[in-house]
Amino acid sequence: MITALDRTAPRDLAAELPARLSLTPKTMLAGQLDGAWWPRSRDLGAELPPLAAALEEPWGRITRVTVNPTRWPAVPHTVPADGRTLHVAWFTEQDPDKLILLSYTVGRWDLLVIPPETEPAAAARLMAAAAIPGSVLTAGVLMANEAAIGRGIRDALRQESGWESEGGACMSPFGNSMDRRDLPLPGNGWR
């Protein structure tokens, strides 16, 4: 039997908690991203109000949001947020791992969207990488890099587990277990 763990938060919990953000510091270096956002669910209606509230002080009032619909099960046209309305649009040409925020008076910001089910260590790496000023890495490249890092970590853990389950046995170059008697003698004859 396979059990799937849902790492996303219910709608009411997601709306009550502050947005998890990592923003690029204000500098003259323009990069591909202005930071990262790690939502608690894939419910845009619940996730956008805390995001807009968190960004109002540093960036001003957000009025429009664009997403790629491949990562969101439903994309509402409007989302109520603190007595105002956020207009939401979707574009399949937009990077699926990116959210674009627009303000009439201030400008545009691009955020890496970290999937809600992401492990905390991986999310921390992604949030730090997306907030580097002047970075030329796109959202898609950061996600691909993290996938490769995750595979490397899983492979290392699998190898370590294999080593431990084999009793720490040495392996021959041909993949066969070697006993201590099979090891070559060092120059002083010690075994």
Side-chain angles (χ1 to χ4, degrees), residues 10-65:
R11 181 182 181 99
D12 56 343
L13 181 61
E16 292 176 12
L17 296 172
R20 298 181 289 189
L21 285 167
S22 174
L23 302 177
T24 304
K26 290 184 179 184
T27 68
M28 297 304 292
L29 298 172
Q32 290 288 322
L33 297 169
D34 298 297
W37 173 47
W38 186 21
R40 291 179 169 80
S41 72
R42 292 195 183 272
D43 182 353
L44 271 176
E47 295 291 339
L48 286 178
L51 175 65
L55 293 174
E56 192 157 342
E57 184 180 326
W59 288 355
R61 181 169 276 196
I62 305 300
T63 56
R64 297 192 177 278
V65 178

Side-chain angles (χ1 to χ4, degrees), residues 46 48 79 89 112 123 164:
L48 286 178
V79 173
L112 169 69
E164 292 298 327

Side-chain angles (χ1 to χ4, degrees), residues 90-139:
W90 56 267
F91 298 99
T92 55
E93 297 83 15
Q94 182 174 320
D95 188 326
D97 298 309
K98 184 167 72 171
L99 177 87
I100 298 174
L101 303 158
L102 302 163
S103 170
Y104 285 126
T105 58
V106 183
R108 168 188 165 153
W109 301 275
D110 296 12
L111 294 179
L112 169 69
V113 178
I114 300 168
E117 61 276 1
T118 303
E119 294 286 334
R125 286 190 297 271
L126 286 166
M127 291 183 98
I132 296 172
S135 175
V136 296
L137 300 178
T138 64

